[in-house]
Amino acid sequence: MALSRPALSGLALSRLLDRIYDAAGVLAGVAMIAIVLIILAQVGARLIAYPLRGGAQFAGYAMAAATFLALPHAFRRHAHIRITILLQALPDRARLVLDVMGLTVATVIGFWFAWWSYDLAYISWEIGEISQGDVAVAMWIPQIVMVVGGALFALSLLHTLIETLVTGRPFVPEGETGLDAAADR
């Protein structure tokens, strides 16, 4: 007997993982606020003719953090672009098979990306790589956010794949939009 998504989401591990993804989403929001504050500080500094070094550099790091930390949260909440016109035309079983295949491929790619992101950050740390911007920053520091966000995204893909296999229901069932499906979680 397959569990329903709401029943499965009631399991402690699933709830914990969803809270971790939500926390990453909150941190992505904080990074977006940091971008705004950095830009405002640069504008204010220009008005008083005081150069603010590294603003664009740190805004770029914050943008990378916002992007990668938002991935797991956006995926689990169906806040990403997904073209379902073909899937909606298929019978339930075929939709489920294609969903499982897509989630499997995405999970493999997600973990592959997370591994190579880790490798990049580790090598940067090992060789002492420093940014070439206005402010010298050890590159592993901003890269570690990519590792964390990528790993959480890969985990959210695996989480969703397991949920789909256990429930026997596609990630976005027929007739539901992403917002409808997110409300069921």
Side-chain angles (χ1 to χ4, degrees), residues 131-155:
S131 69
Q132 295 182 15
D134 291 337
V135 178
V137 175
M139 287 305 297
W140 67 268
I141 296 171
Q143 290 168 351
I144 202 73
V145 179
M146 181 174 64
V147 174
V148 171
L152 286 175
F153 182 52
L155 184 60

